[in-house]
Each structure stands twice: as structure tokens, then as C-alpha cells.
């Protein structure tokens, strides 16, 4: 159970970290799916602070670094988000960040790290995703920064993105968990092993069941920490239930596995902040993916069947 009943919503309407367009509309889609009012029905006080300003892709004229596209713009947005997340925690509100592509997690986790390192506490990270998001500009084939935020949270990557956080790594790899992965680049496999990130693939979920996976994940991410950040990429869900995501990969978590994961994470009482990323209305059908994402958020914040 979460004791804190104050949530602050922060939107990050960016698709600069991705090559497929449309996730910049994610925050609108989540609001249209009534994320704020539905959290209020659960008994939370919800403040929506609107969106972080993000430049429109077409307005950016300078040549891009092929290994880290839109890096200056993403770094600037990440700094803005870090400050908002930090401020939110300072004022006693749980930050709920709506994306936008997953590069936003750099700023989100940097803000959380700043707050908790001031309290002399560590944080854990639970990262639910079809992908590893643990590329660096050196290992990435696309140069899309949405494939790199976990690497930067764990202290490897481009110096300008690492510099966003006062503390690097932002969290220990030994207190970080990946869940739902099924599409990794060769360099990411090496990095996951070298850093020692606990990774639960879809095969692990099939074999162990979601309950055992989440119980283990909570153990890892709460060991010696104040709690964990949940970075939820909606593409961790199967495309049959979540077609409207930036990078769909078949073989993902089912509707009920998703809910169970969120229900168990809530029951831990250790959720410190949350990102909801990669909802892509362009690829969605009647906003069903945004609606699903809101359902998952509600379970993470304690909605129960009975
Ligand atoms: Mn992701």
C-alpha cells in the first residue's frame, strides 16, 4: 500500500528519441483516457502540471549525430524533467511521468536520484519493456536515444546525457531489474551480463510465472533502497492488447500478467515514481492502448478487483 496519496502528472510529448513518429501524442492520449480522474476515483489527490516544452522535430535544422540523434534537445528536455520530478518529490507528490518516447526515463530517474541521494538513500529500478534500452551511442545501430536510457541510468553512455544526473550511476545495476524483454541487440546482451542487471525475459515469465518474477524483482530493487522507480514501456505488453506502441514486438505479457505485475508492485508499498512511455496513437485503434496503459497505472496505484 502506498501511504502517499498525492500524485503529480508531468507530460513529456517527445518522439525525438525514436525513428517512428507519433509517441509525442502519448501524453494527450493518456489524458483523453482520463488518467487523472480515474486516479482520483482511487482516492488520490492528482495535480496535472501539463507538459515539458519539447521542440518540434521539423523545427530542428542542425545536422544530427548519427550515433545519438537529437542529443542536445533530449538533454535539455531531460534536465527540465529532472527538475520537475525533484520538485514534485520535495513537495511530497509521487511523480507520474507520461511519455513520450522512453528517453524521458533519463530525466525522470535523475530527479528521483537527486532527491533520494540528498536523504542519503539509494533507489532501485524496475524496467518493464520488450527491449533492453541499454544501448550506448557505440552499440546502437539506429542512434535512437529511446534505446539508451537504462544504460545512462546505470552510468554508461554519452557524457552529455550522463551529466544530467548529479550522481552517476543513478542506481546500482545490482538493484536494477528488466522484465518482459524479448528483443535485444548483441551489444545489449553483453552489457546486461557485464553490469549484472537482473533480467527476466519472456521465457522466464513463461517458466516461472509473473508472480514469482515480480516477487524476485521486488527483492532485488528494494534491497538496501528507499524503494523503486517503475519505468513502464507499454511495449512490454503483447501487441494483441497494446497495438499502439512505438516498437511493437510479439510475444509480450498478456492483459492479466500486466495487471498482476502492477498489483504485486503496488502491494510492496515501495513504488516511488513511475513512467508510462511509448504509447503511439498513430498506430492505435480507438485509443485502446492508452486506455490499457491507464488501467495498468491504476493497478500500480492500488486498484483492486475486490
Ligand atoms: Mn523502452
Amino acid at each position: 500500500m502506498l501511504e502517499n496519496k498525492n500524485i503529480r502528472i508531468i507530460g513529456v510529448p517527445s518522439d525525438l528519441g525514436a525513428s517512428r513518429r507519433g509517441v509525442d501524442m502519448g501524453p494527450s492520449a493518456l489524458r483523453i483516457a482520463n488518467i487523472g480522474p480515474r486516479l482520483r476515483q482511487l482516492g488520490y489527490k492528482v495535480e496535472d502540471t501539463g507538459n515539458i516544452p519539447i521542440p518540434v522535430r521539423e523545427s530542428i535544422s542542425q545536422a544530427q549525430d548519427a550515433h545519438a540523434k537529437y542529443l542536445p534537445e533530449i538533454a535539455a528536455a531531460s534536465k527540465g524533467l529532472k527538475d520537475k520530478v525533484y520538485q514534485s518529490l520535495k513537495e511530497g507528490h509521487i511523480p507520474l511521468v507520461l511519455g513520450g518516447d522512453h528517453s524521458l526515463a533519463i530525466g525522470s530517474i535523475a530527479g528521483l536520484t537527486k532527491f533520494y541521494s540528498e536523504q542519503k538513500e539509494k533507489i532501485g529500478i524496475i524496467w518493464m519493456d520488450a527491449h533492453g534500452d541499454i544501448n550506448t551511442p557505440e552499440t546502437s545501430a539506429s542512434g535512437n536515444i529511446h534505446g539508451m536510457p537504462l544504460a545512462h541510468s546505470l552510468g554508461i553512455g554519452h557524457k552529455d546525457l550522463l551529466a544530467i544526473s548529479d550522481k552517476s550511476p543513478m542506481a546500482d545495476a545490482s538493484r536494477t531489474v528488466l522484465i518482459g524483454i524479448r528483443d535485444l541487440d548483441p551489444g545489449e546482451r553483453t552489457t546486461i551480463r557485464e553490469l549484472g542487471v537482473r533480467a527476466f525475459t519472456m521465457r522466464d515469465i513463461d517458466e516461472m510465472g509473473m508472480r514469482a518474477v515480480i516477487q524476485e524483482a521486488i527483492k532485488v530493487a528494494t534491497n538496501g533502497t528507499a524503494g523503486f522507480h517503475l519505468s513502464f514501456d507499454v511495449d512490454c505488453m503483447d501487441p494483441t492488447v497494446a497495438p499502439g506502441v512505438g516498437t511493437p514486438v510479439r510475444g509480450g505479457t498478456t492483459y492479466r500478467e500486466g495487471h498482476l505485475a502492477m498489483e504485486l508492485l503496488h502491494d510492496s508499498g515501495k513504488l516511488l515514481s513511475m513512467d508510462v512511455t511509448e504509447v503511439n496513437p498513430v498506430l492505435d485503434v480507438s485509443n485502446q492502448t492508452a486506455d490499457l496503459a491507464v488501467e495498468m497505472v491504476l493497478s500500480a496505484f492500488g486498484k483492486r478487483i475486490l
Side-chain angles (χ1 to χ4, degrees), residues 49-210:
T49 61
N51 291 339
I52 301 271
I54 303 286
V56 170
R57 190 185 288 238
E58 284 75 6
S59 72
I60 303 167
S61 54
Q62 68 265 36
Q64 293 305 316
D65 176 347
H67 299 285
K69 294 173 190 159
Y70 301 102
L71 187 140
E73 292 79 15
I74 289 171
S78 301
K79 276 182 205 131
L81 177 59
K82 171 194 158 187
D83 293 343
K84 286 236 178 190
V85 165
Y86 172 75
Q87 204 54 40
S88 165
L89 291 161
K90 268 277 208 217
E91 293 168 16
H93 300 261
I94 303 169
L96 174 58
V97 181
L98 311 184
D101 75 71
H102 214 162
S103 67
L104 65 82
I106 298 173
S108 183
I109 298 173
L112 187 73
T113 297
K114 181 177 181 193
F115 179 79
Y116 280 99
S117 55
E118 283 178 4
Q119 324 284 314
K120 308 262 180 284
E121 292 203 83
K122 288 175 178 280
I123 59 152
I125 298 175
I126 295 182
W127 198 282
M128 296 182 67
D129 210 302
H131 310 89
D133 290 358
I134 200 160
N135 270 301
T136 63
E138 287 73 43
T139 63
S140 168
S142 66
N144 293 329
I145 295 177
H146 77 156
M148 310 183 194
L150 184 55
H152 289 86
S153 306
L154 299 179
I156 57 168
H158 194 287
K159 62 172 175 37
D160 293 356
L161 294 176
L162 295 173
I164 290 157
S165 180
D166 310 67
K167 184 175 163 252
S168 183
M170 303 183 209
D172 298 326
S174 62
R175 295 178 166 92
T176 298
V177 189
L178 267 165
I179 298 173
I181 48 175
R182 54 196 183 275
D183 183 11
L184 297 173
D185 297 326
E188 292 188 297
R189 291 202 178 91
T190 312
T191 306
I192 288 170
R193 291 209 183 94
E194 281 179 1
L195 291 179
V197 174
R198 191 67 188 273
F200 294 99
T201 65
M202 281 313 300
R203 177 177 172 170
D204 294 318
I205 295 172
D206 292 342
E207 290 191 340
M208 298 167 64
M210 188 58 99

Side-chain angles (χ1 to χ4, degrees), residues 9-24:
I9 291 174
I10 307 163
V12 185
S14 171
D15 69 356
L16 296 173
S19 40
R20 192 177 258 165
R21 307 295 307 276
V23 293
D24 55 319

Side-chain angles (χ1 to χ4, degrees), residues 16-46:
L16 296 173
S19 40
R20 192 177 258 165
R21 307 295 307 276
V23 293
D24 55 319
M25 293 183 274
S28 286
L30 292 162
R31 289 184 176 109
I32 290 164
N34 284 317
I35 190 161
R38 288 164 79 182
L39 282 164
R40 277 184 205 109
Q41 280 172 6
L42 281 185
Y44 288 90
K45 212 175 133 258
V46 183

